[in-house]
Amino acid sequence: MPASPVTYTFLGPKGTFTEAALMQVPGAADAVRIPSSNVNTALDKVRDGSADAAMVPIENSVEGGVTATLDAIASGQELRIIREALVPISFVLVARPGVRISDIRRVSTHGHAWAQCRLWVEANMPDAEYVPGSSTAAAAMGLLDEEGVHYEAAICAPIVASEQPGLNVLAENIGDNPGAVTRFVLVSRPGVLPDRTGADKTTVVVPLPEDRPGALMEILDQFASRGVNLSRIESRPTGQYLGHYFFSIDADGHAADARMADALAGLHRISPATRFLGSYGRADAQSPEVAPYNSDEAFQAAHAWVREILAGAVAAPEHAHGGSPTA
């Protein structure tokens, strides 16, 4: 009996940057691909089994973490990040035929796209009002709806405009930062971790155990004392009450690395509600610099030394038996 095809979901509709990220996954072109209207819906499809994995945005080089993803993955049934993808971001301004820039009063797009084009909009359409969209592609496709559309233009990816004859490109490369990149993660249900590559990343969510001086320092010290570099740390409210936060953290290394495993154990000791979100290969394949005393071999040698002490195999110095240390 042939195996069922892999099913992926992504932040849709077709033509989003998220779909471009998904297409970097080997085999995605031949898989079943289902668009989702928002991040929560995409992750819920993974949780209920209607999708094997979801590609969602998690970080942008201009705006930082994507809060919808950080919050959705930090609660509910546990999920695992198994892969990441980087997509260079560029934007175009589109409208229906006959609309000029001077005619535009309202513009729709995703919140992160709007933030990345804010300076261009202020310089070229200072009176334009922002209309939030669930995605850049959804905003552009909304212009093709003859009834009910309440904006004159949209900001989207160039590929959306090129595939829709009913959209005219009024301006290209309107992003304020030409080097902008968005990071996406492929999320599945918990299972076997991806193998170590030597250039890996681990993501965790750590609730602040209690709001007191030094509480955050204790969390950070679990990584610092073991030579684990943090590539991202962001605080997010838990929603329980004012002043209660969790920290979303990306750290360089794999859970199978001795230094990372030791750091994760330390986190769990001081914050038992810590949520492990996965260890996976870095998209940029950059390996961390690891000091010799933080290598796997160093940790193994240290643990072996302690075991020998507990077994009484390490010879005690002579003065411990009453002899002179200088005899």
Side-chain angles (χ1 to χ4, degrees), residues 67-148:
T67 56
T69 301
L70 298 179
D71 294 346
I73 203 172
S75 59
Q77 182 182 335
E78 285 201 20
L79 296 169
R80 292 286 186 272
I81 298 172
I82 58 174
R83 187 186 182 94
E84 70 174 10
L86 303 178
V87 178
I89 305 297
S90 63
F91 300 103
V92 296
L93 180 71
V94 297
R96 286 184 290 189
V99 175
R100 299 168 298 177
I101 289 182
S102 59
D103 300 326
I104 298 172
R105 296 292 176 267
R106 293 172 297 274
V107 181
S108 183
T109 191
H110 188 271
H112 271 242
W114 180 257
Q116 293 178 66
C117 300
R118 188 181 295 117
L119 297 180
W120 187 92
V121 171
E122 290 178 354
N124 295 273
M125 301 183 296
D127 298 324
E129 176 186 347
Y130 168 52
V131 178
S134 60
S135 71
T136 56
M141 297 300 291
L143 290 170
L144 302 178
D145 182 5
E146 295 294 336
E147 298 182 5

Side-chain angles (χ1 to χ4, degrees), residues 42-287:
L43 296 182
D44 284 344
K45 287 177 181 175
V46 177
R47 289 184 170 113
D48 67 22
S50 57
D52 295 297
M55 185 67 81
V56 292
I58 194 170
E59 183 183 11
N60 179 267
S61 60
V62 176
E63 285 295 294
V66 179
T67 56
T69 301
L70 298 179
D71 294 346
I73 203 172
S75 59
Q77 182 182 335
E78 285 201 20
L79 296 169
R80 292 286 186 272
I81 298 172
I82 58 174
R83 187 186 182 94
E84 70 174 10
L86 303 178
V87 178
I89 305 297
S90 63
F91 300 103
V92 296
L93 180 71
V94 297
R96 286 184 290 189
V99 175
R100 299 168 298 177
I101 289 182
S102 59
D103 300 326
I104 298 172
R105 296 292 176 267
R106 293 172 297 274
V107 181
S108 183
T109 191
H110 188 271
H112 271 242
W114 180 257
Q116 293 178 66
C117 300
R118 188 181 295 117
L119 297 180
W120 187 92
V121 171
E122 290 178 354
N124 295 273
M125 301 183 296
D127 298 324
E129 176 186 347
Y130 168 52
V131 178
S134 60
S135 71
T136 56
M141 297 300 291
L143 290 170
L144 302 178
D145 182 5
E146 295 294 336
E147 298 182 5
V149 62
H150 54 291
Y151 51 90
E152 295 80 31
I155 294 173
C156 65
I159 189 173
V160 177
S162 66
E163 294 181 350
Q164 297 297 329
L167 297 176
N168 282 352
V169 176
L170 301 183
E172 298 179 320
N173 297 316
I174 65 173
D176 301 327
N177 187 335
V181 174
T182 293
R183 173 177 162 240
F184 298 83
V185 290
L186 188 65
V187 182
S188 71
R189 292 180 293 280
V192 177
L193 297 183
D195 292 336
R196 283 196 291 181
T197 68
D200 302 293
K201 186 178 291 183
T202 292
T203 300
V204 292
V205 169
V206 187
L208 194 65
E210 56 181 318
D211 188 12
R212 58 175 175 76
L216 175 57
M217 183 63 71
E218 286 185 358
I219 292 173
L220 299 179
D221 189 54
Q222 304 309 309
F223 297 104
S225 62
R226 295 162 177 89
V228 176
N229 182 60
L230 304 186
S231 57
R232 181 186 62 84
I233 177 169
E234 299 184 57
S235 63
R236 295 292 304 150
T238 64
Q240 295 180 7
Y241 51 85
L242 190 64
H244 197 239
Y245 286 81
F246 67 81
F247 293 90
S248 177
I249 298 172
D250 289 335
D252 292 344
H254 193 283
D257 297 335
R259 67 187 187 282
M260 182 65 76
D262 215 45
L264 293 176
L267 286 176
H268 192 269
R269 282 191 300 104
I270 64 174
S271 183
T274 293
R275 174 171 288 200
F276 174 77
L277 292 182
S279 290
Y280 46 94
R282 290 177 61 110
D284 58 13
Q286 291 186 5
S287 300

